[in-house]
Amino acid sequence: MINQHANQFVCDLVAYETGKPIEETARELGLNPSEIVKLASNENPLGPSPKAQDAIKAAASEAHIYPDGGGFKLRTAISEKYGVNFKNTVLGNGSNEIIELLCHSFLNPQAELIAAEHAFVVYKLMATLFGAKYVEVPDPGFVHDLDAMAAAINENTRLVFIANPNNPTGTIVSESEIDRFMEKVPDHVVVVFDEAYHEFLSDAPNTLKYIEQGKNLCVLRTFSKAQGLAALRIGFGIASEPVANILNKARQPFNANAIAQAAALAAINDEEHITATVANNDQGLAYFEQAFTERNLEYVPSVANFVLVKVGDGDKLFKDMLTKGVIVRAMSGYKLPEWVRVSVGTPSENARFIEVLDQVL
Ligand SMILES: *Cc1c(COP(=O)(O)O)cnc(C)c1O
C-alpha cells in the first residue's frame, strides 16, 4: 500500500466538504441550472463588483505574463485603505491559503492550535495536516469564550484562531473582550483574527491596533464574500511585521494570480457595490429572522451573511430541499446535525428558500 509511504498527516485528513455546486446539482437531479438557488457558501448574491468585472476583462489580454509575485499594487492599496505598512501585508489564494501558511509556518507535532468548538472547520483540517494538537474550547451559546481560550494557552500553543464573526455561527466577540484577551496572550503565540465577514459589520472591532502595540497577530480578510470574487481565490492577511515576513517566505512565488489581483484592486474601493451588498444582506437577515420566529424555529442571531437554523434532521432537510432546487448547507460536519446554515440571497431567493422550507418541514 502506497499509503504507508505517504505523509501520515495527509492520509489522516478528512477532505473539506464544500457547498454543493449548482452544475453538479443540476446534473444529478436533471434540473435546469438557472432554476437552482444556491444559498450554501455565503457568496455575494449581487455578483462581483462591476468594476472588478471590467478589470478582469482588461487583465485577460495579459494572461500570458506571470503575475507580480510581490503583489505591489494590491498590497499598496490594502496598506493605504487600512492604514498599515506595505510590509504588514500578505496576499493569499483565498484567505484559506493564509490559514495554511500560518499553520505551515508555526505548527509541528509538538505545537498546539486553539479554536472554539464551533469554529470554521478549516482550522482543524490544517492543524491535522501539520500534525499539531487541535485544542477545542467550548463556546456556550455559540459565542467564543475568550477567557476560556486564554486559559487554554500553554507553552506549546503557537496559534489561536478567533473567527469574528464566526462561520457557521454568525456570532461575534466585542473589542473590549478582545482587549482583555490580548493582555493575557504571551509572546510565543500568534493570534489570528479571521475577519472574512468584516464588511458586513456596522461596528467592527478594531484588531489592527494590536499591530502597533507589538503583538504577534494576523488579521485575515477576503475578497470572496462582500466583494463577490469567490471564484478568483484572493484574500489577504495584515500581520505584525515579523509574522508577515514569515508568511511571505512560506508562500509560493505566484500564489495570487494576476487576474485576481487586478479584480481585487478594482473591488477594494468599490464602496457602491459593498454598500448595496450590505443593504441587501441586512434586509435578508431581518427577513429570515422574522420567518424563523413565525415558524417557531430556533436560530442563532447573526451579524454575517448567513444564519444557522435548527430544523430537526439537517441532513434530511438538505436532501429534501435539494430535490426542489434549493441548496443549503447541512451542519453535521460541525457536530450540529439538527441545524442547517443558509446564506442570505436576493429577496426572491430568500423567499424561495422559505417557500421550499415550508414544503419540506
Ligand atoms: C469564507 C471564509 C473564509 C474565506 O475563504 P476564502 O479562501 O478567502 O474564499 C475564511 N474564513 C472564514 C471563517 C470563512 O467563512
Side-chain angles (χ1 to χ4, degrees), residues 100-278:
E100 180 171 355
L101 296 177
L102 282 158
C103 293
H104 200 169
S105 300
F106 292 100
L107 299 184
N108 59 54
Q110 284 75 48
E112 300 187 7
L113 181 160
I114 296 172
E117 186 179 353
H118 298 102
F120 188 45
V121 74
V122 173
Y123 313 146
K124 189 182 206 164
L125 299 182
M126 290 301 121
T128 308
L129 185 58
F130 295 99
K133 182 173 172 191
Y134 184 76
V135 179
E136 227 168 60
V137 176
D139 49 5
F142 296 121
V143 181
H144 281 48
D145 180 346
L146 294 190
D147 289 334
M149 290 175 78
I153 294 175
N154 64 30
E155 63 195 12
N156 296 323
T157 308
R158 289 296 173 273
L159 296 172
V160 179
F161 275 81
I162 299 171
N164 211 34
N166 182 44
N167 172 13
T169 58
T171 59
I172 192 163
V173 282
S174 69
E175 187 166 329
S176 60
E177 288 171 86
I178 300 170
D179 283 344
R180 199 172 64 203
F181 170 80
M182 289 303 277
E183 277 171 20
K184 297 185 225 168
V185 176
D187 285 345
H188 65 275
V189 173
V190 177
V191 180
V192 183
F193 295 99
D194 186 342
E195 301 180 353
Y197 303 95
H198 176 78
E199 290 82 356
F200 293 101
L201 304 177
S202 49
D203 188 19
N206 174 8
T207 46
L208 296 175
K209 70 182 180 191
Y210 305 119
I211 292 177
E212 289 149 43
Q213 295 172 12
K215 305 280 190 189
N216 295 314
L217 71 145
C218 182
V219 175
L220 299 179
R221 302 271 175 86
T222 181
F223 291 96
S224 298
K225 307 286 159 60
Q227 280 90 357
L229 299 177
L232 294 181
R233 314 304 306 124
I234 181 90
F236 61 96
I238 301 178
S240 37
E241 205 179 306
V243 173
N245 287 343
I246 293 167
L247 297 176
N248 273 309
K249 280 190 192 185
R251 66 180 180 83
Q252 292 277 324
F254 303 116
N255 64 327
N257 77 74
I259 293 171
Q261 287 189 43
L265 185 62
I268 192 168
N269 290 315
D270 187 350
E271 297 298 339
E272 204 182 324
H273 188 63
I274 294 175
T275 303
T277 299
V278 172

Side-chain angles (χ1 to χ4, degrees), residues 31-106:
L31 297 172
N32 184 338
S34 64
E35 295 165 44
I36 294 174
V37 172
K38 183 185 179 208
L39 300 175
S41 300
N42 307 339
E43 292 146 341
N44 189 329
L46 305 187
S49 148
K51 290 184 175 147
Q53 294 187 46
D54 291 342
I56 291 166
K57 287 173 202 149
S61 65
E62 300 297 315
H64 60 303
I65 308 287
Y66 276 101
D68 172 7
F72 180 78
K73 284 185 186 165
L74 181 55
R75 289 172 66 201
T76 300
I78 290 166
S79 51
E80 283 170 2
K81 182 164 175 109
Y82 297 108
V84 297
N85 294 326
F86 183 84
K87 286 181 172 171
N88 295 120
T89 62
V90 54
L91 302 181
N93 189 315
S95 56
N96 262 286
E97 189 197 16
I98 305 180
I99 297 171
E100 180 171 355
L101 296 177
L102 282 158
C103 293
H104 200 169
S105 300
F106 292 100

Side-chain angles (χ1 to χ4, degrees), residues 291-350:
F292 297 151
T293 303
E294 284 167 6
R295 287 158 181 78
N296 273 320
L297 293 173
E298 192 184 333
Y299 66 90
V300 183
S302 171
V303 294
N305 65 347
F306 53 83
V307 189
L308 200 56
V309 57
K310 195 172 183 181
V311 293
D313 184 340
D315 284 325
K316 180 172 188 302
L317 186 107
F318 162 77
K319 284 185 201 130
D320 290 348
M321 291 195 91
L322 197 63
T323 62
K324 298 180 185 294
V326 176
I327 314 173
V328 295
R329 195 72 158 264
M331 286 286 118
S332 41
Y334 281 88
K335 288 179 284 178
L336 296 169
E338 297 181 306
W339 301 73
V340 297
R341 191 195 67 198
V342 56
S343 308
V344 174
T346 60
S348 66
E349 290 172 330
N350 300 338

